Amino acid sequence: QLQLVESGGGLVQPGGSLRLSCAASGFILDYYAIGWFRQAPGKEREGVSCITISGVNTALADSVKGRFTISRDNAKNTVFLQMNSLKPEDTAVYYCAARNYYCSGYAHLFDSWGQGTQVTVSS
């Protein structure tokens, strides 16, 4: 069974930083592109960032360019999302997802999903 578990969310002040983790079990991350998505109440799920099988990371949302960085540690079977200079509009539930093809900002193309972790940016 393919499983992904997100962790690292919480409450942070504007301008602060968080690092989210996405741990995989039941499969090897080496063979999958991993995307981070987020969803705020009443809004559509939005692609945030994605890392390819070869390790190239891409910002999917203009609002996070230059602030968020995705990375993978294949030895630990884990993908990270480093979030810096956080803004209140970054508040959302963050999900990681996997697909055995190239990166995409379309959520429906991803095969496996985690349960999400809450990120709240507030003073």
Side-chain angles (χ1 to χ4, degrees):
Q1 183 177 359
L2 307 182
Q3 292 184 320
L4 297 169
V5 179
E6 304 95 334
S7 62
L11 176 65
V12 65
Q13 293 183 336
S17 299
L18 284 173
R19 181 167 59 187
L20 306 183
S21 298
C22 175
S25 63
F27 67 104
I28 300 174
L29 284 183
D30 304 50
Y31 308 135
Y32 292 82
I34 305 296
W36 283 97
F37 295 79
R38 66 186 181 186
Q39 189 165 23
K43 297 184 179 180
E44 297 180 351
R45 189 165 296 187
E46 175 189 30
V48 176
S49 187
C50 188
I51 188 164
T52 69
I53 294 172
S54 61
V56 177
N57 77 78
T58 303
L60 300 177
D62 289 340
S63 63
V64 309
K65 291 180 179 178
R67 299 190 297 120
F68 291 9
T69 302
I70 190 171
S71 62
R72 65 193 306 155
D73 187 339
N74 289 340
K76 298 180 179 179
N77 223 28
T78 301
V79 169
F80 303 96
L81 182 67
Q82 179 67 47
M83 305 186 295
N84 298 325
S85 302
L86 283 162
K87 304 174 181 179
E89 52 263 43
D90 295 319
T91 296
V93 177
Y94 284 71
Y95 302 87
C96 66
R99 71 185 301 241
N100 61 354
Y101 207 27
Y102 53 82
C103 277
S104 174
Y106 294 104
H108 71 275
L109 296 179
F110 285 76
D111 304 308
S112 301
W113 290 81
Q115 82 291 339
T117 185
Q118 177 71 47
V119 172
T120 302
V121 184
S122 176
S123 59

